[in-house]
Amino acid sequence: MADSTPTFLRLYNEAAPAHAGRLADFWPGLDKLCRAFEQVTGWPLECRPGADIPSSVLWSAPAAHDGAEGEQLRVGVAAGIAQAAPPAAADLRNSIELAGAVGELLGDLARTRQALWKCEAELAAGMPLTLRGDEGHLAARLKASLRAAAEAVGMDAAALYVLDETAQYLKLRSVWRLPQERLLLPPRELSDAAADLEALLGHAITLEDTAGLTIFSSPEPAAAALCVPVSSVTAPLGTLWLFGDRPRSFSDREVNLVEIVAGRVAADLERETLITASADASRLKRQLSAAERWQEDQLPRTSPPSDLWQVAGWTQAAAEVNAEFYDWFVTGQEALAVVLGGARQDAPAGALCASALRGAVRAHAAYANTPAQVLRATNETFHHGSPGDQSAALFLALADVERPVAQVSAAGSIAVWKITAAGASGLARAASPLGAPQTTTPRDVTVRFLPNDLILVLSEAAARTCQEAGKAAEDELLSTVLTHCRQPAEVLVELVRDRLTALADPAKLVDASAVVLKCR
C-alpha cells in the first residue's frame, strides 16, 4: 500500500512581530495623564500607536514611540466624544495647543528613551572578550549546542555545516549522533545544495518527509529533516541540520527553538574568531609598542658637549613606529655629524628601512671625508640591500669641531636653509633619492657660520606640509626662526614644531622631522 503521508517543503519566513499590548506598558502614567487632561479641559486626550487616526480625532501630533523601531505615537483631541457639559469645557483651540505641548514633551521623552535603549545595547557590546578556563573547547560547545537543538524538538541527529572563505563550499564541522568519520568527507558544493541555499537566504526549511524529494534533499539519510541558517549580524556562516528517523511535522515553536540554538552557535563561532583576532592584535600592539620605545631610545636626547655647536631635533610618527629619524655623533675624522633621514615606505616597513639607513650612515661616516662620499656609499649599501622598491631621503652635515665651518649634502627632496641675521637662503640642491642608481649625485656645500647663524633642515613630509600651505606659510616659518635666532637650538626646534603642527591637516597625520644646527 502506498504511503499517504504528504511530501512537501515548508519555508519559514520570520516577520517582525506586530505591536501588542497597551501603550501604558511602555509609557507608565500615560493613562493618568489622559485622565488629568480631560478633567482640566473637558476634552478627551487620545494617544494611539501608528499613523492611522480615527476621524473623531480633530488634531494629532506625531511623537516617536520606543515600543517598536520606527513606530510613532499620535497625540490628539477627540472632539466628537467631549464631556456631557460642553459649556464647561475649555476652548477647543486652547485644548489643542495644550495637547500639542503634551505631544512635544512625549516626543522628547521617547527620543531620550530610544537613545538610552541603543546606548545600553552598545555598552553591552563593548564588554571585553575574556576566555574562561572552564568553558571547554569550541568543539565540545558546538556538540552540546547540536545536542540541545535535537533533543529540544525530538530529532535523532544533528550536523553543522560552515561556509568556506570563498562561500562556494559547505564543510561539515560538528556532528551529534553521526559517525565522526563524516568529518573527513569532502565539502559539499553550495551550488548543488538547494536547501542550504534557501536557508542562507534567511528561511528555515522543513523536510517533513524526504521520500520523493529531488531538488531539496537532505545531506544525510533521514526520513525528516530541519535546516536553519547560522548567521551573524553581518554575514551568513553556515547551516544547522537536524535529522529524524520518521516522517513528522514541525511546529512554529520547534522551529523557533532551533533558530535560537543556531544563534548561539553563530555567537560561539564569532566569539572564537574575535578572541583569536584580539589575541593577534594584542601581540602586534605589544610588538609595535616595543619597536616604538626602541626608536625613541635611539634618538639623541641632548646637544653634543661642544663650545662651538648646538644641535636639536624633533620628529613625529603618523603611526606607532616612525619612518623618519634624526641623529648626531662624532665621526672617526673628529667631525660632528648631523643626520636627518626618512624612508618613503609606510610603517612598519618604513621604520625598518629607516633603521637600516641610520646604521649605514653611521658605518660609512666612520671613514669618509665628506658628506657626499657618505651619501654615495650609503646609497650603494641601501640599493644593493633593497628588493628594488625602497627609496629614502637623507641629509648629512659634517661640522668642524674647532672652526665654524660645516659641509652639507642631501639626497631627495629635503629642505635645507641657512638662516643668518641677513635672512634665509636655501642650501641643498635637488638630488635623486637613495635606493636607485643616482641620476643627480649629491654634492657638498661648504657653509661658514657667524655667531647665532644656523641651518634648518626639514624632512620631505615636513617640507611638503609647508609647500601645500603656500609660500606665505613657509616665509612665516623662516621669519619666526629668524626672529628668535638668538634662542637655544632646543627652543628653535620647538618653534618649528609648533608652526608645522599648525599648518598640517589634523585629519592627515604624517611622519615629519626637523633638525637645527646652530653656531654658538
Side-chain angles (χ1 to χ4, degrees), residues 52-128:
D52 296 332
I53 299 299
S55 58
S56 61
V57 179
L58 296 182
W59 178 90
S60 63
H65 171 228
D66 59 356
E69 187 71 27
E71 190 174 348
Q72 283 190 336
L73 173 71
R74 310 290 294 196
V75 180
V77 176
I81 52 174
Q83 286 185 352
D91 181 73
L92 179 59
R93 179 175 300 176
N94 293 334
S95 300
I96 288 176
E97 185 176 353
L98 178 58
V102 171
E104 291 179 2
L105 290 175
L106 291 177
D108 291 339
L109 177 59
R111 285 187 289 271
T112 302
R113 292 178 60 177
Q114 190 83 356
L116 176 62
W117 173 59
K118 293 182 178 180
C119 182
E120 292 295 341
E122 291 171 357
L123 290 174
M127 292 295 292

Side-chain angles (χ1 to χ4, degrees), residues 482-502:
L482 178 60
T483 303
H484 299 84
C485 63
R486 294 183 178 273
Q487 298 293 330
E490 293 83 358
V491 176
L492 296 175
V493 163
E494 291 180 359
L495 292 173
V496 173
R497 177 200 62 193
D498 294 342
R499 291 301 307 159
L500 290 176
T501 303

Side-chain angles (χ1 to χ4, degrees), residues 1 188 195 207 219 249 287 303 312 343 352 366 393 405 423 475 503 513 517:
M1 175 180 258
R188 297 186 294 132
L207 306 180
S249 60
Q287 293 173 351
S303 182
L352 297 175
V405 178
D475 293 341
L503 295 175
S513 304
L517 172 63

Side-chain angles (χ1 to χ4, degrees), residues 264-460:
R264 168 62 188 271
V265 171
D268 275 341
L269 293 176
E270 279 204 317
R271 182 173 180 272
E272 199 74 17
T273 302
L274 289 174
I275 287 176
T276 303
S278 177
D280 293 341
S282 298
R283 183 169 59 254
L284 178 60
K285 186 175 182 179
R286 289 194 298 270
Q287 293 173 351
L288 290 176
S289 297
E292 182 182 10
R293 290 193 299 269
W294 182 86
Q295 280 191 323
E296 292 179 353
D297 292 341
Q298 296 299 309
L299 295 175
R301 299 296 181 184
T302 59
S303 182
S306 171
D307 295 332
L308 187 59
W309 303 103
Q310 283 184 344
V311 188
W314 160 78
T315 185
Q316 75 172 14
E320 289 83 358
V321 289
N322 200 341
E324 296 185 352
F325 69 97
Y326 64 85
D327 193 12
W328 53 78
F329 53 91
V330 177
T331 69
Q333 309 298 324
E334 298 299 324
L336 174 63
V338 180
V339 186
L340 185 144
R344 292 182 172 183
Q345 286 73 36
D346 295 331
L352 297 175
C353 183
S355 178
L357 183 64
R358 180 175 179 271
V361 172
R362 277 183 169 260
H364 292 301
Y367 63 87
N369 295 318
T370 67
Q373 292 178 357
V374 176
L375 263 60
R376 286 193 289 269
T378 302
N379 180 64
E380 290 291 326
T381 303
F382 191 71
H383 174 59
H384 291 299
S386 165
D389 60 345
Q390 297 178 352
S391 61
L394 185 65
F395 164 85
L396 175 62
L398 295 179
D400 195 311
V401 295
E402 296 179 354
R403 298 181 301 140
V405 178
Q407 287 184 308
V408 301
S409 185
S413 302
I414 288 182
V416 186
W417 293 280
K418 179 184 178 183
I419 299 178
T420 67
S425 58
L427 284 183
R429 298 179 180 179
S432 302
L434 303 183
Q438 296 287 346
T439 57
T440 304
T441 57
R443 297 182 179 179
D444 292 317
V445 177
T446 301
V447 184
R448 301 184 183 277
F449 292 80
L450 294 176
N452 294 318
D453 289 353
L454 59 95
I455 290 177
L456 172 62
V457 188
L458 299 183
S459 65
E460 285 188 335

Side-chain angles (χ1 to χ4, degrees), residues 143-163:
K143 186 175 181 179
S145 296
L146 296 183
R147 176 181 179 180
E151 291 182 345
V153 297
M155 297 295 278
D156 301 298
L160 172 65
Y161 294 88
V162 179
L163 284 168

Side-chain angles (χ1 to χ4, degrees), residues 159 161 182 185 188 195-196 207 217-222 225 227 239 241 243:
Y161 294 88
R182 292 285 200 278
L185 294 176
R188 297 186 294 132
D196 296 85
L207 306 180
S217 59
S218 171
E220 292 288 335
C227 178
T239 54
W241 280 87
F243 308 107

